[in-house]
Amino acid sequence: MLQRTVTANGQRFHYAEQGEGPLVLLLHGFPESWHSWSHQIPMIAEAGYRAVAPDLRGYGRSSKPRRVDDYRITELVADCVGLVEALGETEAVVVGHDWGSMLAWTAAWTRPDVFRGVVGLSVAFGGRGLLPVAGVSSLGELRPSEVHRVIAGPDKAFYQEIWIDGEGLAAEAEEDMYTFFRDQFHSFSGDVYPADHQPPNVLTISPEEVLEFTRASGAVVDRGSRFRSGLVSPETLPEWLARDLDFYVAEYERTGLHHALNWYRCMDLDWELLAPYEGRPIEVPAMFIGSDLDVATLWGAEAIANFPTTVPRLTETVILERCGHWITREAPVATGEAIVRFLRTLSSAK
């Protein structure tokens, strides 16, 4: 696996690369980096593809513009298009997890001339709103800040409000990066649930049930509370977390979280910028990979149900079992196999 840098869309991007063949662009989420794809990169390469996983704008060893609106979704999509061009290609399949999923869906939605296929992990296609949350605004009917207030109710706050308020989450994390990342990753993983926990069925649960679940979870807190007060510390580190924790602690002790959080600070602006695409379906072949213990997959239940209309060329919805939010690391082999299976459907369709 090689690591390089390239200039694209006026920014410098660090990326990891392996393999030869059609380009597959792998987009990480928050708070991660190219490293989140370290298990899937060799699997995709071995299957006959060129796997490229960049540190996205504001992360790792890539550029970190200072202005908040430099992190608007149209500029992030332009980064993806620029990366394809800088890598000497004209098209790519785009695969994303978490925030990377929102970016991947949007790239395929707005630039189908460049992105010939899309795989979204964890976060279903949310239209203008990017993140479909609890059935309140599955396709961007309301601007994100309004969605947050509806979900939280009076005297409460949705977690994203805390994250973007001043230094917010960045200040909390930087007090002790090790315990913050340990508890953040653990709290949204499948390991936080007891072995006999029966998750709701994301394919049958109602929007009302999802909203009730969300309000009762750590995603909604008392105003003035610290986000990390709702996190859970593991008694022992699971293998997948022990393997990666030191990498992420070192990475964010060096960079901080401030620039990465600007992606969240732009969500209302993104909603405005994507207005011209409202009501349009995604035109290219697609796959969705969620997991049964991932709150973000559950939030998107209504959006998943809308896939026949919004993502009419969807080839498959995969729901991984006994897996939390960190799909690429908690279920690395199953994730890689699903992505390769999708890539091969594109090849066989030619």
Side-chain angles (χ1 to χ4, degrees):
M1 189 184 304
L2 301 175
Q3 295 192 42
R4 299 180 168 125
T5 58
V6 68
T7 298
N9 193 32
Q11 307 295 313
R12 185 189 71 259
F13 290 93
H14 164 261
Y15 66 96
E17 176 180 9
Q18 186 173 340
E20 297 180 357
L23 178 61
V24 181
L25 194 63
L26 302 164
L27 311 180
H28 65 80
F30 177 88
E32 296 187 271
S33 74
W34 76 266
H35 187 73
S36 68
W37 300 103
S38 56
H39 298 285
Q40 291 76 41
I41 290 171
M43 295 178 69
I44 294 168
E46 185 177 346
Y49 300 88
R50 182 186 182 190
V52 172
D55 285 334
L56 295 168
R57 176 185 295 232
Y59 288 87
R61 284 175 270 173
S62 294
S63 292
K64 299 171 182 63
R66 296 179 63 85
R67 297 188 314 170
V68 171
D69 66 1
D70 285 331
Y71 295 82
R72 62 195 182 276
I73 192 66
T74 48
E75 203 61 32
L76 302 176
V77 170
D79 287 347
C80 295
V81 173
L83 278 165
V84 172
E85 295 172 350
L87 293 166
E89 305 289 350
T90 59
E91 63 179 15
V93 175
V94 63
V95 181
H97 169 253
D98 184 82
W99 243 113
S101 182
M102 293 184 261
L103 176 54
W105 289 122
T106 307
W109 190 30
T110 61
R111 294 301 306 269
D113 56 316
V114 176
F115 300 103
R116 64 188 184 94
V118 57
V119 181
L121 279 69
S122 180
V123 178
F125 175 56
R128 291 176 66 187
L130 300 178
L131 175 66
V133 187
V136 172
S137 184
S138 290
L139 291 170
E141 297 87 352
L142 301 174
R143 68 175 59 236
S145 59
E146 294 174 328
V147 173
H148 299 167
R149 287 192 289 272
V150 171
I151 291 173
D155 303 320
K156 300 283 186 176
F158 189 59
Y159 75 98
Q160 290 185 10
E161 295 182 67
I162 299 173
W163 286 15
I164 66 176
D165 181 20
E167 284 302 304
L169 189 72
E172 285 192 37
E174 288 163 13
E175 292 175 3
D176 184 347
M177 283 290 194
Y178 181 87
T179 59
F180 174 80
F181 275 96
R182 180 197 66 193
D183 296 353
Q184 159 84 355
F185 286 138
H186 173 67
S187 297
F188 292 93
S189 75
D191 294 287
V192 78
Y193 296 97
D196 60 353
H197 175 74
Q198 294 297 318
N201 187 330
V202 69
L203 301 179
T204 60
I205 193 171
S206 71
E208 294 76 19
E209 290 172 309
V210 177
L211 179 57
E212 181 180 354
F213 170 86
T214 303
R215 285 176 170 167
S217 73
V220 174
V221 300
D222 293 332
R223 288 203 173 274
S225 297
R226 291 161 60 89
F227 172 72
R228 67 183 306 170
S229 65
L231 298 181
V232 179
S233 301
E235 294 183 6
T236 58
L237 288 181
E239 181 182 350
W240 67 269
L241 182 53
R243 189 170 55 231
D244 291 341
L245 182 56
D246 287 344
F247 176 90
Y248 283 109
V249 171
E251 192 82 336
Y252 284 94
E253 282 182 338
R254 180 174 57 82
T255 67
L257 275 74
H258 174 79
H259 294 95
L261 286 166
N262 283 338
W263 289 48
Y264 290 93
R265 297 183 177 108
C266 282
M267 288 185 75
D268 274 1
L269 174 59
D270 296 341
W271 183 83
E272 296 170 1
L273 292 170
L274 292 173
Y277 297 92
E278 186 172 15
R280 296 189 194 180
I282 289 179
E283 300 172 356
V284 300
M287 171 185 274
F288 176 68
I289 305 173
S291 51
D292 62 351
L293 298 176
D294 179 10
V295 66
T297 298
L298 186 66
W299 284 344
E302 189 175 30
I304 293 169
N306 283 327
F307 278 164
T309 300
T310 61
V311 194
R313 298 185 67 186
L314 187 82
T315 63
E316 188 179 2
T317 291
V318 178
I319 304 298
L320 302 174
E321 295 183 356
R322 303 305 306 172
C323 179
H325 182 63
W326 316 107
I327 293 175
T328 64
R329 296 187 282 140
E330 292 184 66
V333 175
T335 301
E337 290 175 343
I339 293 170
V340 169
R341 186 166 65 248
F342 174 74
L343 296 172
R344 286 177 172 156
T345 67
L346 298 182
S347 298
S348 63
K350 287 189 174 181

